[in-house]
């Protein structure tokens, strides 16, 4: 017993030393090594700051931008990603920056019609009054995705969407908050706890939808698992060919992705397009004339929409000026050569779409 008591302090010290070394390796040695590796290949950027990386500098630049004038400008790169815009001028088109100890390499490189009709009918009741188009388009896109992706499970899909939007709000609030490794897993903030609860509820809701759709398919109420997006995912989940089969986690992730990727981007495109048409009434007249000549008062079909050349030009210009996505992100799973660069594992690569537009 006495020997065990004498060994306990040594074991405790050894355990604490291992934790300390792992901590220092993650937040100090690895970032310094990666920074040195990228600098040897001609890639520089803001220097790594212990634990916080570049986040403090990013917040300072964003806060300075928020305090500047809000004049309308088509230079969205400088407005939305002011830190990247600033660093491009200092370090060039390719640069390394840090999200805490995580390195980021920035490379500049017919249900729908029904939902639109409901929105337009609602607008007619507001004739002569101001309409918040952005909020209207958010409602429209969420309804369209819910109906086309989940079909008969529309209401359940809408409930899942609301929870995912709450999760995104939490992510935005904590976008540049760095948690200390290991400690952050023990002492969780209220946002961390709420996010985990939402994540759990989203998963439970999707699994409940799966079981309900499977019961409907078994009882013959549906042809297969349905022809909507959710039905196709379920079909892949039950595929007897293991090479084509997807897991429950894959199915849940796909449901989340179609909401996040589809709703945010489409809402942004519609809002900017309407704003630009309001700013340039001559182009608004051209688009209106084209629609009336080619489609008239009828609902558009896929074939008729391909004939709207001027409308297509306006939409493409809106996408060029105000890209719905600020950047494309990819993660390096293992050390890889990309052109003349050797990228270490676990580096995240960001390719700005705004810089090219």
């Amino acid at each position: 017993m006495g020997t065990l008591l004498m060994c306990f302090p040594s074991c405790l010290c050894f355990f604490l030393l291992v934790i300390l070394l792992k901590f220092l390796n993650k937040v100090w040695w690895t970032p310094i090594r990666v920074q040195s590796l990228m600098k040897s290949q001609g890639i520089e950027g803001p220097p790594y700051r212990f634990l916080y990386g570049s986040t403090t500098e990013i917040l300072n630049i964003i806060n300075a931008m928020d305090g500047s004038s809000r004049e309308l400008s088509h230079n969205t790169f400088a407005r939305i990603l002011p830190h990247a815009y600033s660093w491009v001028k200092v370090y060039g088109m390719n640069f390394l920056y840090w999200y805490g100890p995580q390195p980021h390499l920035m490379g500049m490189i017919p249900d729908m019609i029904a939902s639109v009709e409901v929105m337009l009918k609602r607008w007619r009741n507001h004739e002569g009054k101001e309409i918040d188009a952005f909020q209207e388009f958010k409602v429209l896109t969420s309804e369209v995705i819910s109906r086309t992706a989940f079909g008969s499970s529309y209401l359940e899909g809408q409930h899942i969407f609301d929870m995912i939007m709450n999760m995104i709000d939490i992510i935005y609030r904590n976008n540049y908050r760095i948690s200390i490794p290991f400690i952050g897993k023990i002492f969780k903030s209220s946002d961390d706890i709420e996010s985990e609860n939402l994540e759990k509820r989203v998963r439970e809701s999707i699994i409940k939808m799966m079981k309900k759709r499977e019961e409907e398919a078994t009882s013959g109420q549906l042809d297969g698992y349905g022809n909507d997006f959710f039905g196709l995912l379920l079909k892949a989940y039950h595929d007897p060919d293991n090479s084509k089969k997807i897991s429950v986690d894959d199915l849940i992730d796909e449901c989340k992705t179609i909401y996040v990727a589809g709703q945010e981007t489409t809402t942004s495109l519609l809002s900017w397009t309407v704003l630009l048409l309001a700013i340039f009434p001559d182009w608004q007249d051209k688009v209106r004339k084209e629609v009336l000549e080619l489609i008239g008062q009828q609902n558009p079909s896929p074939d008729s929409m391909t004939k709207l050349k001027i409308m297509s030009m306006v939409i493409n210009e809106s996408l060029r000026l105000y890209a719905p996505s600020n950047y494309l992100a990819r993660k390096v799973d293992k050390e890889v050569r990309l052109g003349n660069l050797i990228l270490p594992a676990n580096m995240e690569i960001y390719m700005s779409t705004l810089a090219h537009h």
Side-chain angles (χ1 to χ4, degrees), residues 33 38 40 62 83 85 101 117 141 167 173 178 185 190 198 221 257 289 303 312 322 352:
R33 180 179 58 82
M38 300 309 295
S40 68
I62 291 175
H83 53 288
Y85 179 75
E117 286 179 333
T141 51
M167 291 173 64
R173 285 202 303 267
I178 303 300
K185 294 182 179 181
S190 58
L198 286 169
Q221 298 178 45
T257 300
K289 181 180 178 182
D303 291 334
S312 296
Y322 302 102
S352 173

Side-chain angles (χ1 to χ4, degrees), residues 29-315:
W29 168 243
T30 297
I32 296 301
R33 180 179 58 82
V34 170
Q35 187 169 254
S36 177
L37 172 65
M38 300 309 295
K39 186 174 183 179
S40 68
Q41 301 176 76
I43 304 296
E44 298 189 54
Y48 172 72
R49 307 295 183 189
F50 181 74
L51 199 60
Y52 291 99
S54 307
T55 54
T56 301
E57 190 172 349
I58 290 174
L59 287 173
N60 289 337
I61 295 174
I62 291 175
N63 290 334
M65 175 62 71
D66 288 341
S68 62
S69 63
R70 289 286 184 176
E71 294 180 3
L72 181 64
S73 170
H74 296 312
N75 187 5
T76 53
F77 185 33
R79 170 61 66 180
I80 297 179
L81 296 175
H83 53 288
Y85 179 75
S86 174
W87 290 334
V88 161
K89 294 187 289 186
V90 178
Y91 304 110
M93 296 297 280
N94 299 311
F95 60 87
L96 182 72
Y97 72 103
W98 301 86
Y99 186 86
Q102 174 67 50
H104 286 187
L105 177 62
M106 178 69 84
M108 301 306 164
I109 327 244
D111 287 324
M112 296 184 185
I113 292 177
S115 295
V116 173
E117 286 179 333
V118 171
M119 182 187 72
L120 293 178
K121 184 178 180 180
R122 189 166 59 245
W123 285 14
R124 293 188 186 100
N125 296 328
H126 287 78
E127 188 173 351
K129 300 178 182 178
E130 192 174 274
I131 295 174
D132 189 336
F134 180 72
Q135 291 300 325
E136 289 288 322
F137 288 143
K138 284 184 69 175
V139 173
L140 171 65
T141 51
S142 66
E143 285 187 357
V144 168
I145 292 173
S146 294
R147 291 183 186 278
T148 56
F150 297 102
S152 59
S153 305
Y154 160 69
L155 293 177
E156 295 96 322
Q158 188 66 31
H159 176 60
I160 292 171
F161 171 77
D162 292 337
M163 290 190 288
I164 292 175
M165 286 296 100
N166 288 335
M167 291 173 64
I168 291 175
D169 288 339
I170 293 174
I171 292 172
Y172 284 160
R173 285 202 303 267
N174 297 274
N175 202 19
Y176 295 108
R177 181 178 68 85
I178 303 300
S179 60
I180 300 175
F182 309 114
I183 301 298
K185 294 182 179 181
I186 300 174
F187 301 100
K188 298 178 180 179
S189 67
S190 58
D191 279 346
D192 291 332
I193 296 173
E194 183 181 358
S195 181
E196 289 179 359
N197 289 335
L198 286 169
E199 176 76 29
K200 181 180 178 182
R201 287 165 56 196
V202 167
R203 183 181 182 86
E204 291 173 347
S205 297
I206 294 176
I207 291 176
K208 184 178 179 180
M209 285 173 54
M210 289 175 60
K211 293 180 179 178
K212 180 182 177 182
R213 188 70 69 92
E214 288 167 346
E215 291 173 359
E216 292 173 345
T218 303
S219 63
Q221 298 178 45
L222 287 176
D223 180 14
Y225 296 103
N227 297 319
D228 52 23
F229 179 72
F230 190 62
L232 294 175
L233 289 176
L234 269 178
K235 184 179 179 180
Y237 171 69
H238 289 281
D239 198 310
D241 186 346
N242 288 330
S243 64
K244 299 178 180 179
K245 187 182 180 70
I246 64 173
S247 66
V248 175
D249 291 334
D250 292 332
L251 189 149
I252 292 173
D253 287 342
E254 289 293 338
C255 290
K256 294 178 188 175
T257 300
I258 193 172
Y259 267 124
V260 177
Q263 200 265 352
E264 289 284 325
T265 53
T266 309
T267 298
S268 174
L269 168 61
L270 292 173
S271 301
W272 283 117
T273 301
V274 168
L275 176 62
L276 289 174
L277 287 174
I279 294 174
F280 300 100
D282 52 333
W283 280 97
Q284 184 180 151
D285 293 337
K286 292 178 182 179
V287 170
R288 183 182 295 108
K289 181 180 178 182
E290 180 184 55
V291 171
L292 291 175
E293 287 180 352
L294 298 178
I295 299 179
Q297 300 295 331
Q298 304 299 316
N299 286 327
S301 66
D303 291 334
S304 64
M305 285 191 291
T306 61
K307 301 175 183 178
L308 299 175
K309 305 301 182 183
I310 297 177
M311 174 65 81
S312 296
M313 291 167 56
V314 170
I315 290 175

Side-chain angles (χ1 to χ4, degrees), residues 76 80 265 268 272 318-326 353-354 357:
T76 53
I80 297 179
T265 53
S268 174
W272 283 117
S318 298
L319 287 169
R320 186 186 72 81
L321 291 172
Y322 302 102
S325 178
N326 299 336
T353 53
L354 297 178
H357 288 258

